[in-house]
Amino acid sequence: MYPRILIRKLKPNASIFHRSNSTAAQPLEQSKTNEEIKSAKSPLDHPDFFQVHNLFTVKDLFGARVHFGHKEGSLNELMAPYLYGSRQGHLIFDLDITAEHLRKALNFTAHIAYRGGIICFFNRNSLNAHTVEKTALECGEYAHTRFWKGGIFTNANHQFGAITRLPDLCIFLNTQNNILNQHTAVRDSAKMLIPTVGIVDTNCNPNLITYPVPGNDDTPAAIELYCNLFKSAIKRGKEARMKFLQENEENT
Amino acid sequence: MSSWIAITRQLRQTKVMFSRNICRSNICHSENVDTNSADKVGGFAKAYEKQSHILDVESTPPPTFASLLRNSKLVDLGDPVGKIVVGKIFHVVEDDLYIDFGWKFHCVCPRPSIRAEDYVRGARVRIQIKDLELSSRFLGSSTDLTLLEADCKLLSLVSSPVKSSEKTT
C-alpha cells in the first residue's frame, strides 16, 4: 500500500558540507540557493516534526495507570532512576521522566514510519496479545506475540529460505518473555543493529533497549494507551510520507 | 523573674493587638475607597461585565504528577491490606471471576454459591484486599517471583447487568 523504498534524486547543486571542526585556515565557501534552503528544512532538523507531544498528557498516563510498578522485592536496580518512590512497598514511576522518554520514543517511531521502515510489535503477555496484534493490523505494521524461535533475526536467511528483510524498528510492549526471562528479541535486535523501543517495568532490564519507556506493562489499560499512541505516531509518519511522495511526483 | 516575663508577654500581646488594629483600619479604609468607586458603576454595567465573561474557560495549569498522586485513590487507601473496594468483572472462566478494581493487577475469585448466575461480565462487586500483588522471595533466588495477580476476597454484589435486565422485563 505504501511504497517502502524512497528513491531520492540527487539535486543538481549539491551543497558542500561545512567542515565545522576542520583544521583548514579558512572555511570552505557555501553558495546557498533556494533548493538548498528547502532541503535543509528536512524533518530531521526539527526536534518534534510530527508534534508527538500533542498526543498525550501526564494526566492521560496517570488515568491509564502507567505509574504503577511491582513490589520492591522484584526491583531491577537499573530501573531505580526512573522511580518516584515507593508506596506501602509498591513502586511508583515518575511520570514526568516517563513522559519525556515516551515523547522521544514516539518521535523516533514516527520518523521510522516516515522513512518507510518496517515496525514489529512484541508482547508475550497473553492478556494483551490480542490488543497488540489488532494495533499492528490497524496501522499496517507487524506483530509477533507468539513463541519466538531462536534464530529468527540472527539466522533469518537460512530459516526463511530466502533473503529476508528484517524490521527497522522493534517495539516491545513487554520486554519479558515470562517472569524469569527477557524476550530473546531484545538481545537479537541489538545483535542485528535494529533499534528498539521498549516499555520497561520495575522488574525489567532497560540496558539493551535503545529508547526505553519506564512504565506499567501489565495492565490492559496501559497497554491500550501505548498501542494507541504508537499507532497515532506511525500514522502521522506515514501520512507525511505520502504527502512528500505526492509532492515529489508533482515536481517530476 | 517570672513577673518580668509576664510583663514582657503582656507587652508583646498589646503590640500584636495594636498592629492588628492598625492593619484592620487600613484595610477598612481601602475597602471604603473601593466601594465608593464601584458604586459609581451602574447596575446594568456590572451585569454586562459579568455576563460577557460567563462562558470564559479559566485556563488552569495542567495538574502536576505529584498532585495527581497525592489526590489519587491509591493514596486515599492508606494501607491496602483489609480495605474494601469495588471492582468490575471483566472476564469469566467457568467458576473463576477476573475482577479489575483500578489497580495494576486484577484479582481472581471463585464464584459464590448465592446468586451465582448474577456474576457475569460487567457486574460490579465489593471485594476486600488481602494482598495487592502475590509476590514473594523464594529460597535461592535473587529477586521475587510474582504471579501478576492481586489476592482479594469477594464480599458481595453491588450491581449486575443480569439483574437490571430482569427489572426492565
Side-chain angles (χ1 to χ4, degrees):
Chain A
M1 197 168 75
Y2 294 111
R4 291 244 177 229
I5 301 165
L6 193 66
I7 301 164
R8 271 193 195 274
K9 291 190 180 165
L10 282 170
K11 300 257 175 353
N13 304 331
S15 63
I16 303 159
F17 290 112
H18 183 80
R19 300 196 301 237
S20 55
N21 58 350
S22 76
T23 51
Q26 283 166 2
L28 296 165
E29 279 175 14
Q30 280 187 77
S31 54
K32 277 198 174 176
T33 61
N34 263 351
E35 287 175 36
E36 276 150 26
I37 291 164
K38 263 191 197 172
S39 67
K41 289 202 171 135
S42 74
L44 288 172
D45 290 333
H46 294 249
D48 193 1
F49 184 74
F50 300 100
Q51 305 288 308
V52 293
H53 66 271
N54 291 336
L55 289 173
F56 70 96
T57 60
V58 167
K59 198 166 178 198
D60 298 334
L61 297 181
F62 194 86
R65 318 177 208 170
V66 166
H67 56 294
F68 291 148
H70 289 268
K71 272 193 178 164
E72 285 169 342
S74 47
L75 170 69
N76 189 321
E77 292 83 37
L78 298 161
M79 292 301 296
Y82 303 125
L83 296 176
Y84 185 74
S86 148
R87 171 74 185 170
Q88 301 281 342
H90 296 93
L91 300 164
I92 306 284
F93 282 107
D94 191 345
L95 283 186
D96 299 322
I97 301 176
T98 299
E100 197 196 306
H101 281 82
L102 187 55
R103 276 192 287 268
K104 285 184 187 167
L106 288 170
N107 183 37
F108 185 72
T109 311
H111 275 281
I112 292 277
Y114 176 76
R115 296 302 300 269
I118 295 177
I119 298 172
C120 196
F121 288 88
F122 291 87
N123 189 356
R124 260 322 247 138
N125 189 351
S126 50
L127 189 65
N128 308 310
H130 180 71
T131 316
V132 172
E133 284 180 348
K134 209 169 73 160
T135 309
L137 191 70
E138 280 166 10
C139 60
E141 296 296 345
Y142 307 86
H144 191 106
T145 58
R146 311 294 158 134
F147 173 72
W148 175 267
K149 219 158 141 189
I152 288 183
F153 279 171
T154 45
N155 200 10
N157 294 347
H158 189 265
Q159 285 205 349
F160 293 106
I163 303 290
T164 319
R165 182 180 162 183
L166 295 179
D168 298 303
L169 173 65
C170 289
I171 301 181
F172 290 88
L173 276 306
N174 192 331
T175 54
Q176 302 279 89
N177 209 358
N178 41 52
I179 282 303
L180 303 163
N181 309 103
Q182 198 184 39
H183 202 301
T184 327
V186 174
R187 193 198 63 198
D188 285 355
S189 308
K191 280 185 185 175
M192 305 306 290
L193 300 178
I194 301 167
T196 48
V197 165
I199 312 290
V200 280
D201 208 341
T202 49
N203 57 350
C204 302
N205 186 349
N207 268 352
L208 286 176
I209 295 159
T210 331
Y211 290 90
V213 177
N216 187 3
D217 64 3
D218 295 305
T219 316
I223 294 285
E224 242 184 77
L225 176 82
Y226 299 135
C227 283
N228 288 336
L229 290 174
F230 283 118
K231 190 169 69 176
S232 319
I234 291 168
K235 278 193 171 159
R236 281 190 187 186
K238 286 189 170 175
E239 276 161 17
R241 181 188 173 74
M242 287 309 289
K243 207 173 95 175
F244 174 83
L245 289 175
Q246 278 164 10
E247 278 172 12
N248 247 26
E249 276 175 30
E250 281 164 23
N251 287 343
T252 56
Chain B
M1 189 63 189
S2 59
S3 60
W4 182 247
I5 292 165
I7 289 163
T8 49
R9 206 179 291 149
Q10 274 185 339
L11 278 171
R12 262 192 229 123
Q13 281 175 354
T14 48
K15 193 178 168 187
V16 165
M17 273 165 59
F18 257 106
S19 58
R20 276 201 204 134
N21 285 334
I22 289 162
C23 287
R24 261 193 220 131
S25 61
N26 277 343
I27 289 162
C28 286
H29 183 68
S30 59
E31 269 176 10
N32 282 331
V33 169
D34 279 348
T35 48
N36 282 336
S37 61
D39 280 336
K40 288 176 186 171
V41 180
F44 175 74
K46 262 203 279 188
Y48 181 79
E49 267 295 311
K50 185 181 163 195
Q51 290 296 320
S52 59
H53 296 305
I54 210 149
L55 286 175
D56 279 353
V57 177
E58 276 179 33
S59 57
T60 51
T64 61
F65 167 63
S67 70
L68 283 170
L69 185 67
R70 177 65 187 85
N71 301 322
S72 70
K73 293 195 174 164
L74 173 70
V75 170
D76 285 345
L77 219 51
D79 183 14
V81 176
K83 294 292 190 306
I84 297 169
V85 291
V86 174
K88 192 169 148 183
I89 301 174
F90 71 95
H91 192 54
V92 176
V93 175
E94 290 177 2
D95 276 340
D96 294 324
L97 310 168
Y98 288 68
I99 300 158
D100 171 36
F101 53 98
W103 172 239
K104 185 177 163 80
F105 303 110
H106 56 270
C107 68
V108 185
C109 300
R111 190 195 291 267
S113 44
I114 323 154
R115 284 196 184 143
E117 62 282 343
D118 290 341
Y119 292 90
V120 291
R121 217 178 333 159
R124 302 190 79 227
V125 291
R126 196 172 288 115
I127 53 175
Q128 186 181 40
I129 301 170
K130 288 196 279 188
D131 197 356
L132 274 182
E133 185 180 342
L134 285 168
S135 77
S136 67
R137 183 75 54 99
F138 285 90
L139 205 63
S141 59
S142 53
T143 53
D144 278 10
L145 196 74
T146 48
L147 270 181
L148 300 179
E149 247 180 52
D151 183 23
C152 303
K153 191 169 90 169
L154 185 61
L155 297 175
S156 64
L157 191 69
V158 171
S159 73
S160 172
V162 173
K163 280 169 82 175
S164 59
S165 68
E166 273 177 14
K167 276 181 185 171
T168 53
T169 55

